[in-house]
Amino acid sequence: MDIQFDSESYWNRSSRAAFSFDDEDEVDIVSTELPSNKWENNGIFSDDTISEASFENSPALNHLSIKAILSEEALKLVLQEQTLDERVIHKGVSPEEELKLLRRQIQSTLYSPDLEVTAQKLLQGKMAPLEMFRSLHEKQQLLDTLLCNGGGHAVVTVLLFLKRTLNAAQFHGILKQRPKALEQYLSYLRESGDVSSHIDLLQRFGRHQEAALKQFQAALASEDANTRKQHLQRLVDAYASAGVGIIPLYEQVFHAALKMQLLMEKEGSASKLLGDQPTPIELLYVCCQQNNNWKEQDMLKPISPQRFAADQQISPAQYEWTALNERAQAQAYADLECIFERVPTWHPLKSKQFHISFDLTLAVVRLYELHAPSTVLQLFLSKMGNSGEKLALAQKVKCIKAVIDAMAGLKQQQELKQLRETLPERSEEQFYCENALKALQSKRWTTDNIKLKL
């Protein structure tokens, strides 16, 4: 029997009804012919004239259409955002729902990506599919969009995607053309602790000084002393003949750190006092403790403070301040003159001269805090040239003899008399004040006699 195939009636049968993955419930469709003009304009972005007409008299809906509230572009973004939100399949999902989610994932992967939607999702900290961005141009567009909007973690997310999906030359070319992206990627490597990748990237882009400092920090961060020494030795050897623009100061720092490690390895007592990773100033303090001869500067012995300060490029001010604190705490005040009195290099036969590389006021205040005797305070106060400043500082540290010297320098005879009355009878300070008054009066009469003769 010949069967007549009627295409129109075939597709309108309930058994041949079209199946949609997005159907919420399975509904039987009545096999009746439906007017074709009823579905010609049933797209979501088409005009709603029929729907509006049917609901025009409905007071509940207030005859508003979706197109009157949202634009066509906004509707499209809403639908795409919903698609992006439903990528995760949770437990307990029915097979039909799981099939719908898988279908949407396949659609988002196979079809063209939406740049603005993906960028907004990433900037909001949400998950967004990046696999749909296949061409190099699309990937660059997405990165540039995020960079223009601040980016932050979203930029790092895209950069990691680019590194995974591009070859090294393409990825480095993108970073070279976008300094902001490079800085964010370097920051990510630094925070994640990927030291080797961080250093390699710095060197690749010609930032050798930063790479050298990063290597230096990594070497010092080694917990084992032998490993730290080996890393420093390799660093010194690498940059000694590399010729890649490392400034001489860096090389001096590398050599100084290596010398300090060698010194600590040789001098076991210093390591026991300070631990495994002391600073150069801390080790200098130990050198001052172990130094027995301050009258001569021993530049041959590695543990001597003068030699160690020279090897570590420690400034004269740091050396003197450290030595002053150590000697004062040890109450070895006689050594302070050897530290601050030096023979001028331009005239070796001349007597020693007092020399200090930092503010003299700081030295006096620090000695007072460490309970140095008045004789030591007077020694340092006597080196001050300004009598007014000397008087104020001497009164602050309660050094009576220095106060008397300052008043005598200012020719304050009346103030000296008043001070003498407050001092204990027949005390050393009272005799000192009386002698200052006599010397001041003697100078006055001598000056008057010269004026009368003239």
Side-chain angles (χ1 to χ4, degrees):
M1 178 183 297
D2 294 336
I3 299 176
Q4 299 295 329
F5 181 76
D6 186 356
S7 61
E8 194 69 21
S9 62
Y10 175 82
W11 290 114
N12 285 319
R13 296 174 191 167
S14 61
S15 60
R16 304 301 179 189
F19 175 75
S20 172
F21 286 97
D22 292 331
D23 290 338
E24 297 295 335
D25 300 312
E26 293 183 2
V27 180
D28 291 332
I29 301 177
V30 181
S31 59
T32 58
E33 290 192 4
L34 299 176
S36 59
N37 59 354
K38 182 178 180 180
W39 303 100
E40 286 180 357
N41 298 320
N42 65 343
I44 193 168
F45 301 120
S46 60
D47 293 330
D48 305 21
T49 54
I50 297 177
S51 298
E52 291 179 19
S54 61
F55 292 96
E56 186 175 2
N57 298 322
S58 174
L61 296 177
N62 200 19
H63 62 272
L64 284 178
S65 69
I66 234 173
K67 300 257 319 176
I69 301 174
L70 295 175
S71 65
E72 183 175 332
E73 183 179 356
L75 283 172
K76 184 178 179 181
L77 289 175
V78 169
L79 291 176
Q80 289 177 341
E81 185 174 355
Q82 290 177 349
T83 301
L84 294 175
D85 282 335
E86 296 178 358
R87 290 185 58 84
V88 180
I89 300 177
H90 302 284
K91 290 184 178 181
V93 176
S94 63
E96 294 79 7
E97 188 68 20
E98 182 176 353
L99 188 60
K100 281 198 301 182
L101 295 176
L102 291 174
R103 176 175 174 269
R104 289 174 180 173
Q105 291 182 14
I106 293 173
Q107 286 179 340
S108 64
T109 304
L110 294 179
Y111 296 106
S112 329
D114 192 298
L115 180 63
E116 294 298 331
V117 171
T118 304
Q120 288 300 321
K121 297 284 286 184
L122 292 174
L123 290 171
Q124 294 171 8
K126 299 180 180 179
M127 294 180 61
L130 301 179
E131 292 78 7
M132 64 181 69
F133 293 86
R134 295 182 176 180
S135 69
L136 179 62
H137 178 67
E138 290 174 342
K139 295 174 181 178
Q140 290 175 330
Q141 275 188 320
L142 178 59
L143 178 60
D144 292 335
T145 302
L146 294 175
L147 289 173
C148 292
N149 290 276
H153 293 292
V155 172
V156 175
T157 301
V158 173
L159 286 175
L160 294 176
F161 168 69
L162 298 184
K163 188 176 186 301
R164 188 175 69 250
T165 57
L166 298 176
N167 59 47
Q170 291 174 327
F171 180 66
H172 293 145
I174 289 175
L175 293 179
K176 185 177 181 180
Q177 295 172 359
R178 297 163 178 82
K180 187 177 179 180
L182 174 61
E183 292 304 323
Q184 294 199 32
Y185 188 64
L186 286 172
S187 177
Y188 161 76
L189 293 177
R190 181 172 58 253
E191 293 176 2
S192 62
D194 193 349
V195 179
S196 59
S197 298
H198 192 186
I199 294 173
D200 291 341
L201 198 61
L202 289 172
Q203 291 176 335
R204 178 177 295 275
F205 286 93
R207 296 162 64 167
H208 300 288
Q209 295 182 8
E210 295 179 56
L213 288 180
K214 192 66 180 177
Q215 286 176 302
F216 181 63
Q217 293 173 355
L220 293 181
S222 303
E223 296 183 358
D224 183 62
N226 291 328
T227 304
R228 187 161 57 249
K229 184 183 69 174
Q230 293 172 3
H231 287 176
L232 287 172
Q233 184 66 61
R234 284 197 294 266
L235 185 62
V236 169
D237 296 340
Y239 285 101
S241 57
V244 290
I246 298 299
I247 59 178
L249 177 61
Y250 287 5
E251 295 184 11
Q252 294 175 6
V253 171
F254 301 158
H255 280 283
L258 180 60
K259 288 180 180 179
M260 192 171 78
Q261 293 299 319
L262 295 173
L263 177 63
M264 292 183 61
E265 183 179 355
K266 185 177 180 181
E267 300 289 339
S269 58
S271 301
K272 292 179 182 179
L273 289 173
L274 292 175
D276 193 34
Q277 289 184 314
T279 64
I281 298 300
E282 290 174 338
L283 195 52
L284 174 62
Y285 191 91
V286 173
C287 292
C288 293
Q289 286 180 322
Q290 299 183 357
N291 187 36
N292 298 322
N293 185 9
W294 287 91
K295 293 182 179 180
E296 298 179 2
Q297 293 187 0
D298 188 1
M299 299 301 294
L300 299 178
K301 190 177 180 181
I303 199 67
S304 70
Q306 299 85 5
R307 167 72 180 274
F308 182 78
D311 289 342
Q312 297 298 313
Q313 303 292 321
I314 296 176
S315 67
Q318 289 178 312
Y319 164 72
E320 293 171 6
W321 178 260
T322 305
L324 178 140
N325 278 268
E326 191 280 323
R327 290 290 85 190
Q329 290 180 346
Q331 297 184 356
Y333 302 110
D335 294 333
L336 293 177
E337 293 186 20
C338 301
I339 296 172
F340 293 99
E341 290 185 355
R342 303 173 186 173
V343 177
T345 55
W346 59 273
H347 197 332
L349 299 179
K350 195 172 182 180
S351 60
K352 292 183 178 181
Q353 296 179 355
F354 182 86
H355 179 275
I356 188 169
S357 301
F358 57 93
D359 190 0
L360 188 56
T361 302
L362 295 177
V364 174
V365 172
R366 184 55 179 164
L367 288 170
Y368 175 71
E369 292 173 348
L370 295 176
H371 308 289
S374 297
T375 53
V376 177
L377 297 176
Q378 184 185 7
L379 171 65
F380 281 82
L381 284 165
S382 65
K383 308 302 179 181
M384 297 185 68
N386 189 310
S387 298
E389 295 178 358
K390 181 194 299 184
L391 177 60
L393 184 57
Q395 291 173 338
K396 180 179 179 180
V397 299
K398 302 176 183 179
C399 183
I400 301 300
K401 288 186 178 181
V403 171
I404 295 171
D405 293 336
M407 288 182 175
L410 294 171
K411 299 180 180 180
Q412 296 178 350
Q413 186 175 358
Q414 189 63 31
E415 286 79 356
L416 280 172
K417 290 179 181 180
Q418 294 175 356
L419 178 62
R420 182 183 60 183
E421 299 301 324
T422 62
L423 298 175
E425 288 292 334
R426 306 184 66 82
S427 64
E428 183 180 354
E429 288 82 3
Q430 190 181 57
F431 285 125
Y432 193 82
C433 186
E434 290 176 353
N435 292 332
L437 277 169
K438 292 177 183 179
L440 191 59
Q441 291 172 353
S442 176
K443 289 181 181 179
R444 179 182 177 185
W445 285 110
T446 303
T447 305
D448 292 342
N449 291 336
I450 294 175
K451 288 180 179 180
L452 290 173
K453 291 179 180 180
L454 292 176

